[in-house]
Amino acid sequence: MSVDIQTVKRVAHLARIAVSEDDAQRMTGELNAILGFVEQLNEVDVSGVEPMTSVTPMAMKKRQDVVNDGSKAADIVANAPATDENFFLVPKVVE
Amino acid sequence: MTDLTALTIAEARDQLKSKAFSARELTDAYLTAIDAANPAFNAYIAVTHDKARAMATASDEKLARGEGGALEGIPLGVKDLFATEGVHTQACSHILDGFKPRYESTVTANLWADGAVMLGKLNMDEFAMGSSNETSYYGPVINPWRAKGSNADLVPGGSSGGSAAAVSAWLCAGATATDTGGSIRQPAAFTGTVGIKPTYGRVSRWGTVAFASSLDQAGPIARDVRDAAIMLKSMASVDAKDTTSVDMAVPDYEAAIGRSVKGMRIGIPKEYRVEGMPEEIEALWQKGIAWLKDAGAEIVDISLPHTKYALPAYYIVAPAEASSNLARYDGVRYGLRVQGKDIAEMYENTRAAGFGREVKRRIMIGTYVLSAGYYDAYYLQAQKVRTLIKRDFEEAFANGIDVILTPATPSAAFGVADKEMAADPVKMYLNDIFTVTVNMAGLPGIAVPAGLDARGLPLGLQLIGRPFDEETLFQTAAVIEQAAGRFKPEKWW
């Protein structure tokens, strides 16, 4: 399978990465090189094989259902580019 | 006084205890070395002078009282991927511009609890995506090794290039690193250092910037096998904050060094003899086989038939996971923000300016293979192949193989700004051909220096072990180290 420039632009939008016409052109070639490389996986007979979901056989640990952390609003917003009274500020979303 | 930076962790630890010098003297020796040499290497992207001196002074107080942990007063470098409270933590990406966490990663917290001293943060490929340390926002790292009679700059490998270069150039006693597809073992091989990627689940991932969550594991890069064992003992823990952290006590890895390998069964997988592999790599492998045979081990030819599919499967699984993990960098909660006319454009502009080319490439691949209509063809197929890769190893171990010996990399270190690598991303990816299988199967792997090539550059061998059997890796690697000797770069800086 290979991608065309329109697909690259659509995927870039899905990934929320702005791309110029030149970027999209270059990425099309790069992505096709990588997709060409991974194509060989189709040779493998995987009939009856379960997809891997966990690399080590373990039951996922569950935390105690208790409050053991919190009241750190100031820490949480400390690294944000724009905040107001412990809220993250974003451009207007709803008119 | 002899050069304190030349001491291994084990030597420095013993001499600090016997008060041959103070922790402050040791730390000052490293800070002086870093200030003088770092401009030549670009290994550190932040040096924490004041913090290092304060930590060393605290260590001296403990040592004076006859107290102190396993790493008391030992100066270490930290890969920029680990969250360090109040200190530069950007995964060497522009998108985390100015990020200083309000928390400490479990790995670094464990090291500081054992008395280690932080010298600073080390350069790396952006978000650990790369095999040459050239994708860093802070520029490439220079390998302390040069080919005989040449002054051309070589890469230290990646993604933990800063860690490997700093250890090799005596700019820290040891360093933390991480390995998603070979990012500890390949740079260790390129710099004549020892690097171990532990079994998935052995070291907590909490507070380590995520790349591909089912593959990422932290481990040390150190000057010798013993130092790597000392560091891993401290880095590993059982951590309630990471649900994949395994509930097993951490063994005393150092105790495994010096044990005989007599009677051990060493597997030699024929699939690691790849087309176009330099003669020198094959010769190195044969030397490793001979050393282990001489030490009394039994050499067994084995087959791991799905080896060649590990790298293509990795380049689906890892980008897929990365595209999800990196969705959090949106210009809202931390780091860089580039304005746009609305919120969607703000996201797109921020991510376009904040991520480098390789990171964008992987996010795009990941987004594509997970998108509607392609998930089964790519991602599901890759995860099934991953099951088969793991099964190959399980069968070898079930047949009585204790440890598998392979080359660590298909070549020695290459030049900075290599034109062929830059032109073809897949060529760069092939650096990880021998290491990536281990991540796909979640197994432990260690790279140990084993010789020099004709140009005088270090080459490494890799040992792959059973899950959670890092002790056997240290035991076997120590035998190779004993036979091969230690390798140091000629000081040109």
Side-chain angles (χ1 to χ4, degrees):
Chain A
M1 268 177 277
S2 64
V3 292
D4 57 21
I5 192 163
Q6 289 315 315
T7 309
V8 168
K9 286 181 184 169
R10 185 177 59 83
V11 171
H13 180 63
L14 280 175
R16 298 290 182 269
I17 297 173
V19 289
S20 66
E21 198 64 30
D22 283 355
D23 291 339
Q25 195 72 49
R26 180 175 45 77
M27 283 177 174
T28 306
E30 291 170 356
L31 263 51
N32 280 329
I34 298 167
L35 292 172
F37 174 65
V38 304
E39 194 101 314
Q40 54 182 304
L41 291 178
N42 296 329
E43 304 162 19
V44 186
D45 180 6
V46 293
S47 46
V49 177
E50 287 292 314
M52 181 180 285
T53 49
S54 171
V55 74
T56 38
M58 55 160 71
M60 182 142 98
K61 287 190 278 187
K62 289 154 198 84
R63 278 184 284 119
Q64 292 284 310
D65 186 13
V66 292
V67 178
N68 57 11
D69 204 355
S71 303
K72 287 183 179 164
D75 281 342
I76 288 163
V77 299
N79 277 288
T83 62
D84 186 18
E85 294 182 5
N86 288 344
F87 285 93
F88 296 110
L89 289 187
V90 294
K92 197 169 179 181
V93 178
V94 183
E95 289 301 324
Chain B
M1 201 185 308
T2 55
D3 185 3
L4 298 182
T5 64
L7 300 173
T8 63
I9 291 175
E11 289 162 352
R13 172 188 68 182
D14 296 347
Q15 294 182 37
L16 280 166
K17 284 229 171 73
S18 68
K19 313 239 169 24
F21 48 81
S22 69
R24 184 59 197 269
E25 285 170 319
L26 182 61
T27 288
D28 282 336
Y30 274 108
L31 291 173
T32 304
I34 293 167
D35 291 340
N38 196 52
F41 298 115
N42 197 30
Y44 283 88
I45 41 102
V47 184
T48 51
H49 295 90
D50 294 345
K51 198 176 177 94
R53 291 190 184 109
M55 290 173 98
T57 301
S59 286
D60 278 330
E61 284 163 16
K62 280 197 188 143
L63 289 162
R65 293 196 298 267
E67 297 166 9
L71 287 168
E72 200 64 56
I74 302 296
L76 302 178
V78 176
K79 188 177 183 179
D80 200 34
L81 206 64
F82 295 89
T84 44
E85 194 176 353
V87 176
H88 187 288
T89 301
Q90 290 185 209
C92 283
S93 178
H94 187 38
I95 207 155
L96 271 166
D97 195 34
F99 184 64
K100 290 194 168 66
R102 295 294 183 103
Y103 54 90
E104 190 77 27
S105 77
T106 296
V107 165
T108 48
N110 288 345
L111 292 169
W112 314 146
D114 275 345
V117 169
M118 175 162 73
L119 293 169
K121 299 303 283 288
L122 293 163
N123 206 337
M124 55 180 284
D125 279 302
E126 184 183 5
F127 284 107
M129 298 178 191
S131 304
S132 65
N133 211 110
E134 291 169 290
T135 73
S136 168
Y137 178 65
Y138 298 94
V141 173
I142 304 303
N143 194 329
W145 288 81
R146 283 174 167 179
K148 266 185 287 189
S150 162
N151 58 6
D153 287 336
L154 300 177
V155 302
S159 69
S160 309
S163 303
V167 171
S168 174
W170 300 280
L171 302 185
C172 58
T176 69
T178 62
D179 190 316
T180 303
S183 283
I184 290 175
R185 292 158 287 157
Q186 184 252 20
F190 277 14
T191 56
T193 55
V194 175
I196 180 165
K197 181 205 92 75
T199 313
Y200 185 82
R202 180 64 286 180
V203 174
S204 170
R205 291 178 297 111
W206 196 82
T208 309
V209 176
F211 161 15
S213 304
S214 79
L215 301 157
D216 298 341
Q217 263 298 284
I221 291 181
R223 303 234 185 96
D224 65 9
V225 175
R226 182 177 298 275
D227 281 6
I230 295 169
M231 274 191 75
L232 182 59
K233 167 95 168 84
S234 189
M235 291 170 73
S237 61
V238 180
D239 186 9
K241 291 187 214 161
D242 176 359
T243 53
T244 61
S245 157
V246 69
D247 277 319
M248 281 169 75
V250 181
D252 179 7
Y253 297 120
E254 202 183 346
I257 293 166
R259 283 183 202 153
S260 163
V261 295
K262 207 170 168 121
M264 201 183 271
R265 287 165 62 86
I266 313 285
I268 309 297
K270 64 168 191 237
E271 289 80 6
Y272 282 64
R273 197 160 281 123
V274 297
E275 213 181 302
M277 187 167 86
E279 199 51 45
E280 288 174 307
I281 303 284
E282 174 67 33
L284 182 86
W285 199 6
Q286 292 306 324
K287 264 205 280 185
I289 291 170
W291 290 328
L292 293 175
K293 209 185 222 171
D294 288 348
E298 185 189 342
I299 306 299
V300 185
D301 286 324
I302 61 167
S303 175
L304 301 168
H306 296 91
T307 297
K308 73 176 267 209
Y309 301 109
L311 200 61
Y314 174 86
Y315 274 97
I316 291 173
V317 173
E321 294 185 16
S323 72
S324 313
N325 274 325
L326 272 59
R328 74 190 68 178
Y329 304 105
D330 56 4
V332 174
R333 287 160 294 167
Y334 23 64
L336 186 74
R337 170 182 289 192
V338 179
Q339 300 300 346
K341 67 177 182 327
D342 54 21
I343 192 164
E345 200 181 281
M346 186 274 283
Y347 292 150
E348 294 196 355
N349 291 344
T350 298
R351 290 163 65 82
F355 292 133
R357 271 193 189 187
E358 182 61 28
V359 172
K360 282 182 197 166
R361 195 142 59 209
R362 299 208 196 181
I363 292 174
M364 295 279 289
I365 285 284
T367 306
Y368 178 71
V369 300
L370 292 176
S371 65
Y374 297 103
Y375 179 88
D376 286 6
Y378 287 111
Y379 188 71
L380 202 63
Q381 178 79 6
Q383 290 288 50
K384 286 178 179 173
V385 172
R386 197 174 169 189
T387 298
L388 293 172
I389 292 162
K390 183 160 186 261
R391 197 178 286 169
D392 286 351
F393 283 106
E394 284 168 350
E395 281 170 10
F397 292 130
N399 288 332
I401 295 299
D402 295 299
V403 60
I404 295 166
L405 176 72
T406 77
T409 58
S411 74
F414 47 89
V416 171
D418 184 283
K419 284 204 176 62
E420 284 180 44
M421 298 271 184
D424 180 4
V426 173
K427 193 166 165 64
M428 182 69 87
Y429 299 169
L430 288 170
N431 266 288
D432 293 334
I433 192 159
F434 298 141
T435 48
V436 77
T437 50
V438 175
N439 301 77
M440 294 299 271
L443 300 171
I446 192 168
V448 59
L452 301 178
D453 73 1
R455 295 175 302 153
L457 297 175
L459 296 171
L461 287 171
Q462 172 178 240
L463 293 160
I464 305 168
R466 297 165 186 264
F468 303 105
D469 192 13
E470 283 81 3
E471 286 168 283
T472 300
L473 294 187
F474 287 119
Q475 174 185 356
T476 316
V479 170
I480 292 177
E481 182 178 63
Q482 183 82 38
R486 300 260 306 274
F487 303 93
K488 295 174 188 174
E490 293 260 350
K491 236 175 161 177
W492 49 263
W493 58 92

